[in-house]
Amino acid sequence: AAGVIQSPRHLIKEKRETATLKCYPIPRHDTVYWYQQGPGQDPQFLISFYEKMQSDKGSIPDRFSAQQFSDYHSELNMSSLELGDSALYFCASSSLEAGNYGYTFGSGTRLTVV
Amino acid sequence: GENVEQHPSTLSVQEGDSAVIKCTYSDSASNYFPWYKQELGKGSQLIIDIRSNVGEKKDQRIAVTLNKTAKHFSLHITETQPEDSAVYFCAARTGRRALTFGSGTRLQVQP
């Protein structure tokens, strides 16, 4: 079965650079979530989209933005990167309309800022 | 917003023993409680979930119990095996809102 696809798997950037993370949800899933997980920490919710509209906002810094496109894939854009942005970034999708409340997570993008 | 607390942070058991991980939540409106298993270098995998209209759910060696009055829910793993070793996260959500995760429990099953 198709899973949530995230790219790239690993990314190394320098301070003050920009990064774009991509997420391809499971087909027919209508909701996408982005989470940031620091080393040894629980996933922290950043932002979500339902039917291409932002539906919920968590602890996403102003330097970050995200959007969901017409094909339902989502991109997380990160600018003016800081060392503290180094983390594992997870994307998850679900289909609330289908009663599928559980997330399916991607394998994550490990971002290292040097 | 929702706050989820999870205990213990680490748990070591002997193979074949049972493991119990507990979570409490703050928002009485939360109605969905999943548990995720995260292995090193992998995404989180949903292992079991429960909705607020159910008190207990079981799937082979894994069970989850929910006490809505006390606002806590627990994960029970019986007959643990070395491959159960991972980090386990509980979570809670209200309606369409995003999941709020607990802080995770590192389970180590000693062969």
Side-chain angles (χ1 to χ4, degrees):
Chain A
V4 176
I5 308 297
Q6 287 188 249
S7 67
R9 290 295 304 273
H10 303 274
L11 190 58
I12 298 176
K13 290 285 186 178
E14 295 188 354
K15 283 195 306 182
R16 292 180 288 279
E17 285 193 318
T18 61
T20 297
L21 278 54
K22 297 185 179 182
C23 170
Y24 297 84
I26 289 177
R28 292 182 294 281
H29 275 197
D30 52 33
T31 309
V32 168
Y33 307 85
W34 284 97
Y35 282 81
Q36 177 192 58
Q37 187 175 19
Q41 309 210 335
D42 58 295
Q44 292 294 315
F45 171 64
L46 295 177
I47 195 167
S48 64
F49 293 87
Y50 170 66
E51 284 294 341
K52 293 162 280 185
M53 299 287 290
Q54 181 182 310
S55 60
D56 208 353
K57 196 171 182 180
S59 53
I60 184 169
D62 292 340
R63 299 177 290 107
F64 294 7
S65 65
Q67 58 183 323
Q68 188 176 30
F69 295 85
S70 58
D71 64 351
Y72 290 89
H73 94 273
S74 178
E75 294 184 2
L76 178 66
N77 299 293
M78 311 160 72
S79 62
S80 302
L81 287 170
E82 302 173 357
L83 295 178
D85 296 329
S86 296
L88 197 53
Y89 290 83
F90 285 109
C91 168
S93 71
S94 68
S95 177
L96 298 182
E97 290 299 330
N100 177 8
Y101 287 78
Y103 290 0
T104 300
F105 279 92
S107 297
T109 294
R110 183 170 296 282
L111 172 66
T112 302
V113 181
V114 297
Chain B
E2 175 69 278
N3 182 47
V4 178
E5 295 192 358
Q6 183 172 347
H7 301 279
S9 57
T10 59
L11 180 60
S12 182
V13 299
Q14 290 295 124
E15 182 177 358
D17 286 351
S18 296
V20 180
I21 304 170
K22 299 181 179 181
C23 288
T24 60
Y25 60 98
S26 61
D27 188 348
S28 56
S30 287
N31 57 6
Y32 176 69
F33 308 92
W35 285 88
Y36 288 87
K37 177 182 181 182
Q38 189 176 60
E39 296 175 273
L40 194 63
K42 297 183 181 179
S44 298
Q45 176 191 3
L46 176 69
I47 56 172
I48 196 167
D49 57 9
I50 192 168
R51 298 194 190 181
S52 58
N53 58 348
V54 176
E56 184 174 357
K57 184 176 178 181
K58 191 172 181 180
D59 182 4
Q60 298 182 338
R61 298 186 296 109
I62 296 173
V64 56
T65 59
L66 171 65
N67 183 328
K68 284 209 69 179
T69 304
K71 289 190 285 188
H72 69 70
F73 56 113
S74 301
L75 177 71
H76 304 254
I77 305 175
T78 59
E79 301 172 26
T80 53
Q81 301 166 3
E83 50 265 39
D84 294 330
S85 297
V87 178
Y88 291 82
F89 288 97
C90 65
R93 83 187 300 175
T94 305
R96 292 181 178 275
R97 295 190 66 85
L99 286 171
T100 299
F101 286 85
S103 52
T105 296
R106 182 172 298 279
L107 173 65
Q108 184 70 41
V109 180
Q110 306 288 347

